[in-house]
Amino acid sequence: MKVIEHRYLLPFVLVTSLFALWGLANNMTDTLLAAFRKIMQMSDTQTSFIQMAFYGAYFCLALPAALFIRRHSYKSGVILGLLMYATGAILFLPAAWTESYLFYLVAIYIMAAGCSVLETTANPYIMSMGSAETATRRLNIAQSFNPIGSIVGILVSKYFILQDISLYSVSGTYAFLGAVLLVIMLVMLFVRMPEGKDAAGESSLSSTFRRLLRNKHYAWGVVAQFFYVGAQICVWSFTIRLVMHELGHVESEAATLYLASIVGFCASRFVYTWLMKFVAPARLLFWGGVLSALSTLAVVVASGWTCVVALVLVSVFMSLMFPTIYGIALGSLTSGAAADGCPASADAADGCAVSSGDVKIGASGLIMAILGGALLTPVQGIVSDLAGINQSYLVPFGCFLVVMVYAQSCKKT
């Protein structure tokens, strides 16, 4: 069975390109913690507000984005997301003129809101482009281009922000990105793509939420995604700081090892996608969790190059987690009855049958789970300030344990 059918090839390629765009934003933002710590003489706790603004926006905009594309179309969601993303990036210029950290946080929030709309739109769209049996593999392929954008983001940060750290090097880089995004948005306006609008009537939100919460694979998938994203952002947000602490490197040198982490993350995701031809996604997710937890524990107890290599390996082992949790959780909505305890013959009147509108709302829940990056990164910042940066990696260690438990529960069914 083909993972990508010929009739969906062009839409798949175009939507997949969006995955690189929010990967670019995610990892450029990660480097801002080190930049603002130096520019404004901030603590780790204070700089973590950047991640609170970024991933807090993901939480706040995911459900409105799902309602928007439910009412309009996937293409409309793409255009709206690109417009907000570009607006936030361009607002970095007036933030530099005012030299206001709060203004920067507002700009980051708007930019991330655009990324939230793009993710809420693109993930379920990719999964819908073919059979349900290959949906998780298809999403892993598309998500493999996300770290390619991340690599570009790190290179841009390394050579345009961290080489000569100042408010104007930060703001000029983001403003240029905003201009590029506006061009991409104009191109997308004229591209012919399937609309993806629901043809059938839509049920109420309350009944949709009831159906989603009855589905244990979906509901606990949201929890697992919350902790996974928290782990990922914790690991990457403090990578540059940890490398500087262990090896004595300056920011731009430490960014090279951060880049190595993202390259490993990108390469291993392709490997994981290939392995899914032979191994069930839930089994791979479990062993990815085990290896990620062990590597994170090594970061806590080791020092020097041993610590840094373990840190890079965390990225290698965790790379499958976001799309695999997403695919298992969202796929459970379309693989039979939507809710545990619902009969196979259930219909809409029973509150069990799933519509494509339900899937879009369900997708927003999995994107809202990205709030983990906003809430758990400050926890790691506090632990770092109080106990040391190595010990702060106990926070993502605990998160990986949650992912392991979720994967194990999915293996049993």
Side-chain angles (χ1 to χ4, degrees), residues 70 198 200-215 330 332-362:
R70 193 185 193 195
D198 295 334
E202 297 167 356
S203 59
S204 68
L205 276 180
S206 60
S207 60
T208 295
F209 288 139
R210 283 196 299 271
R211 286 191 293 271
L212 293 175
L213 290 174
R214 286 195 189 105
N215 187 309
L330 204 64
S332 70
L333 299 180
T334 56
S335 58
D340 291 352
C342 287
S345 61
D347 59 24
D350 299 318
C352 291
V354 176
S355 71
S356 59
D358 286 358
V359 173
K360 290 174 181 177
I361 299 300

Side-chain angles (χ1 to χ4, degrees), residues 169-210:
S169 66
V170 170
S171 300
T173 302
Y174 274 88
F176 179 77
L177 171 62
V180 172
L181 289 167
L182 289 177
V183 172
I184 295 172
M185 185 191 73
L186 289 174
V187 171
M188 293 293 288
L189 274 171
F190 296 100
V191 172
R192 188 176 182 84
M193 292 176 64
E195 291 293 312
K197 181 175 172 61
D198 295 334
E202 297 167 356
S203 59
S204 68
L205 276 180
S206 60
S207 60
T208 295
F209 288 139
R210 283 196 299 271

Side-chain angles (χ1 to χ4, degrees), residues 219-235 285 289 292 296 314 318 321-322 325 365-377 379-380 393-406:
W220 287 108
V222 173
V223 174
Q225 198 74 291
F226 174 92
F227 282 99
Y228 164 66
V229 175
Q232 176 187 299
I233 304 309
C234 284
V235 168
L285 180 64
S292 297
T296 308
V314 176
M318 72 179 179
M321 292 184 182
F322 185 92
I325 294 170
L366 288 160
I367 298 301
M368 290 171 74
I370 290 175
L371 181 68
L375 298 185
L376 296 177
T377 308
V379 173
Q380 185 175 8
Y393 276 79
L394 286 171
V395 175
F397 170 75
C399 295
F400 289 130
L401 295 182
V402 175
V403 174
M404 288 168 54
V405 171
Y406 176 69

